[in-house]
Amino acid sequence: MAFKSFKPSKSRMRRLRPVLLLFVIILSLFIYFRPDSIPTYRPHTHAIASDQNDENGVTCPKSSLMKDVFVVIRTGATEAQEKLPVHFKTILTCVPDFIIYSDMDEIVDGHQIHDILTEVNATIKKTAPEFQLYNHLRTRGRDGLNYQTMFGSGPAGAVDNPGWKLDKWKFLPMAEKALYERPKTKWFIFIEPDTYVMWSNLLQYLSLFDANKPWYIGKHMYASGVLFAHGGSGFALSNPAMQKVSKHWKDNKNEIEQATLKGWAGDMILGKALKDVGVDMFWAYPHMQGDSLTALDWSVEKLERQTWCYAATTFHHMNPEEITTLWQFEQTWQRRNPNGAPLRFRDIFNNLVRHRLRAEREGWDNISIGTEYSEEVLAKMSQSNVDNLSLVEQNAHNSFEMCQAACEQQPRCIQFSFVPGQCSVSDELRLGRASDTQCLEYSNAAGKCVKEATTTGEDGDIVRSGWIMDRIPGYVYWLDEFCDNVKDIWITK
Ligand SMILES: *[C@@H]1O[C@H](CO)[C@@H](O)[C@H](O)[C@H]1NC(C)=O
Ligand SMILES: *[C@@H]1O[C@H](CO)[C@@H](O)[C@H](O)[C@H]1NC(C)=O
Ligand SMILES: *[C@@H]1O[C@H](CO)[C@@H](O)[C@H](O)[C@H]1NC(C)=O
């Protein structure tokens, strides 16, 4: 581990802050996730695996495609130091070729980060409000930035976050520059620092496509009538697709920049450019996921595809803690399955999630966002509707046990969360996360809780969650049955 040479000088301290943060996160992982069936949480992990691929004991996929994939990470100065370090210690240890583009040149943990906005039209840089941040970064670095308003990205952060507004300018320059750097590489993978790439699976998936054809593979999203691959879920472009879009950008730079001024999101602008050169998006759902490990509803079905049955290649909205957890899990899986059996969502549930579910979990919010019971909700209901509730439901907000009973009364309810005065139940199973507040409204688009219960902070007010444990086997059985009709765990048509 990297903590050995710690010397507390001031500038060193600043640089080490992300490392310290990670250390604290890993410590809390030990506390929250007892190592049950995942032995790799023990600190002597490295010794266990030293028979594997490299001297650090990391097990990497043995795909021959690996050297033909260029991973492009898009970040911004307001998040790079906080969010990148975990990647250097996990996923990127197995990625031979990657580059990081941002809105400022800097070095993070010894890795060069490149400013990708140098060639944006100079007039726009002087006049578009979001470039105030960029110009500040160029002249003063991060000094004097108001971090309250700067942090976060996408609709997940503040929509007014200038870091987010600047982000849309990066996509086309990034495609052009990445191709310039690696003109012969077959595949380009674009991700963000809160994207988790299941590298082994992704390589297997890409090997099923002909890289000599133009491919644009991602998680579908629509905005302003344009279909595009969602940036945070990660997407792949083959070399011919990169050639086309890069040429289009060079030929129409001014026009696309004018559109970007009015545009909303960079992934959409790139999707539009690809469409204009005749490259349609390939719908890779559910392989590419917009949700995180903790917020994914394990029974979600879209495009008539039951997520459960398919292999996973990416997750989004992953914080450093979740990235570490999933990475450790993948490492264990790969050691046990040296032939590279792909991890399906059901494998992740059965081997990583399931043993973390409990009848009662204190300080844990499982994101139960079905029916809510509270005095407030009761007060808004008509008398006849209140009378129609069972006694248990009328009292669900009064105790953990009542809340649990209210869930049990409903035939498909599988989880609940409780803070005094508020009970939420849900038919959807989510792992959730350690928390001291209860999530009342979770936004999938934002990938975070947008409404939390207010607690007084007294001891008894910590959120507690539970799952109806004797319903879990039935839930798993129900989902497994969908897979009988799934011929291939990979979507290629
Ligand atoms: C740069 O942008 C300005 C204003 O949006 C525009 O008038 C100008 O033509 C652009 N310059 C180039 C070189 O494209
Ligand atoms: C009362 O509950 C029953 C069954 O749950 C439902 O069919 C009925 O519409 C409800 N009545 C009212 C007034 O909501
Ligand atoms: C957590 O699980 C319980 C039941 O196990 C459920 O009632 C509650 O709503 C869940 N919490 C969230 C936030 O979903």
Side-chain angles (χ1 to χ4, degrees):
M1 294 216 164
F3 316 124
K4 274 180 258 166
S5 58
F6 181 77
K7 281 200 205 80
S9 84
K10 257 189 193 158
S11 67
R12 261 190 92 86
M13 277 294 276
R14 201 170 304 137
R15 266 181 292 132
L16 280 169
R17 211 174 285 154
V19 178
L20 282 173
L21 183 70
L22 187 77
F23 184 68
V24 171
I25 288 166
I26 291 173
L27 260 185
S28 30
L29 266 175
F30 276 106
I31 296 164
Y32 281 118
F33 298 140
R34 277 180 296 135
D36 296 358
S37 68
I38 301 189
T40 44
Y41 287 127
R42 293 192 208 115
H44 54 267
T45 288
H46 289 198
I48 293 176
S50 53
D51 56 337
Q52 297 294 329
N53 299 14
D54 78 26
E55 67 279 6
N56 296 323
V58 173
T59 305
C60 296
K62 296 183 193 80
S63 165
S64 58
L65 188 59
M66 189 139 75
K67 60 181 191 324
D68 281 318
V69 180
F70 193 37
V71 173
V72 181
I73 305 167
R74 193 187 82 263
T75 185
T78 56
E79 61 169 28
Q81 291 185 321
E82 177 202 21
K83 293 184 176 174
L84 284 175
V86 68
H87 289 273
F88 298 135
K89 293 186 183 63
T90 57
I91 303 159
L92 292 177
T93 57
C94 287
V95 175
D97 199 12
F98 66 88
I99 196 160
I100 303 168
Y101 291 131
S102 178
D103 37 32
M104 181 171 83
D105 283 321
E106 64 176 320
I107 291 176
V108 175
D109 282 8
H111 297 269
Q112 180 66 52
I113 317 291
H114 306 270
D115 175 2
I116 192 66
L117 299 175
T118 50
E119 279 157 43
V120 174
N121 175 324
T123 314
I124 292 176
K125 277 186 181 167
K126 273 198 211 101
T127 52
E130 57 266 34
F131 280 95
Q132 278 172 18
L133 169 63
Y134 179 73
N135 296 328
H136 180 122
L137 289 167
R138 278 176 72 92
T139 51
R140 298 174 56 196
R142 268 182 285 266
D143 282 352
L145 287 186
N146 177 354
Y147 272 63
Q148 292 299 82
T149 55
M150 296 288 173
F151 266 118
S153 71
V159 179
D160 296 335
N161 174 349
W164 156 247
K165 286 194 176 155
L166 208 45
D167 193 59
K168 66 182 176 181
W169 293 95
K170 295 172 193 159
F171 284 74
L172 282 149
M174 189 170 73
E176 187 208 330
K177 197 71 190 304
L179 181 66
Y180 173 81
E181 298 282 348
R182 296 291 182 276
K184 299 243 158 61
T185 292
K186 285 185 183 161
W187 290 102
F188 296 77
I189 308 298
F190 294 88
I191 59 167
E192 300 177 9
D194 62 352
T195 311
Y196 185 96
V197 175
M198 307 197 71
W199 186 225
S200 173
N201 274 9
L202 183 62
L203 292 169
Q204 288 192 50
Y205 189 43
L206 292 179
S207 71
L208 305 174
F209 294 84
D210 178 0
N212 296 314
K213 301 215 163 80
W215 284 110
Y216 171 38
I217 302 172
K219 154 81 174 60
H220 58 282
M221 194 163 179
Y222 275 104
S224 317
V226 180
L227 169 68
F228 61 98
H230 174 231
S233 308
F235 57 90
L237 286 168
S238 65
N239 188 296
M242 290 286 282
Q243 305 266 8
K244 284 180 184 235
V245 79
S246 177
K247 177 168 190 309
H248 180 67
W249 164 239
K250 281 186 243 172
D251 294 347
N252 301 279
K253 183 166 180 278
N254 191 25
E255 195 183 315
I256 297 175
E257 283 185 331
Q258 300 306 320
T260 305
L261 270 174
K262 298 181 210 102
W264 167 71
D267 40 9
M268 182 187 87
I269 292 157
L270 178 63
K272 165 90 170 47
L274 280 154
K275 190 176 165 51
D276 290 344
V277 292
V279 181
D280 289 330
M281 195 207 69
F282 180 80
W283 303 59
Y285 183 90
H287 301 309
M288 292 175 167
Q289 269 298 325
D291 277 322
S292 69
L293 183 65
T294 58
L296 180 71
D297 162 13
W298 292 90
S299 64
V300 65
E301 180 188 356
K302 287 180 186 162
L303 312 174
E304 299 181 354
R305 299 168 188 172
Q306 188 72 44
T307 297
W308 182 259
C309 307
Y310 293 91
T313 64
T314 62
F315 287 93
H316 183 217
H317 295 307
M318 295 285 282
N319 63 29
E321 191 177 335
E322 290 167 273
I323 289 172
T324 308
T325 303
L326 193 47
W327 165 256
Q328 298 283 17
F329 169 70
E330 259 200 292
Q331 286 286 298
T332 309
W333 177 268
Q334 288 190 15
R335 276 177 218 131
R336 289 184 189 155
N337 299 277
N339 302 330
L343 265 165
R344 300 161 300 180
F345 287 94
R346 65 205 279 198
D347 300 315
I348 301 173
F349 181 87
N350 286 325
N351 296 284
L352 174 70
V353 172
R354 192 167 176 174
H355 69 273
R356 298 200 158 109
L357 309 180
R358 310 255 191 284
E360 177 172 355
R361 193 150 188 177
E362 186 147 342
W364 194 267
D365 185 0
N366 61 7
I367 318 181
S368 298
I369 42 173
T371 312
E372 181 190 329
Y373 302 98
S374 63
E375 290 294 351
E376 206 185 334
V377 168
L378 288 176
K380 283 189 199 139
M381 290 170 76
S382 70
Q383 192 55 46
S384 65
N385 278 337
V386 173
D387 292 344
N388 208 14
L389 293 177
S390 70
L391 265 180
V392 169
E393 287 177 303
Q394 288 179 29
N395 289 291
H397 58 292
N398 288 329
S399 74
F400 182 83
E401 291 71 23
M402 278 294 180
C403 182
Q404 182 176 45
C407 183
E408 275 169 346
Q409 270 190 351
Q410 302 168 23
R412 300 199 49 194
C413 181
I414 198 148
Q415 65 172 37
F416 56 93
S417 70
F418 176 80
V419 286
Q422 223 150 25
C423 164
S424 301
V425 303
S426 175
D427 294 354
E428 295 170 357
L429 196 158
R430 292 179 169 84
L431 174 58
R433 56 184 165 47
S435 176
D436 40 18
T437 55
Q438 181 193 33
C439 181
L440 297 179
E441 194 179 332
Y442 184 87
S443 158
N444 276 323
K448 66 172 189 177
C449 191
V450 290
K451 185 182 164 206
E452 292 186 334
T454 47
T455 61
T456 61
E458 285 162 23
D459 279 355
D461 283 3
I462 289 198
V463 60
R464 276 187 286 170
S465 287
W467 290 268
I468 309 300
M469 295 306 287
D470 58 13
R471 288 182 185 169
I472 308 280
Y475 175 85
V476 169
Y477 183 81
W478 167 65
L479 286 171
D480 281 345
E481 278 194 318
F482 286 100
C483 306
D484 294 346
N485 299 322
V486 173
K487 305 263 176 323
D488 190 347
I489 61 166
W490 295 113
I491 306 272
T492 53
K493 306 193 239 309

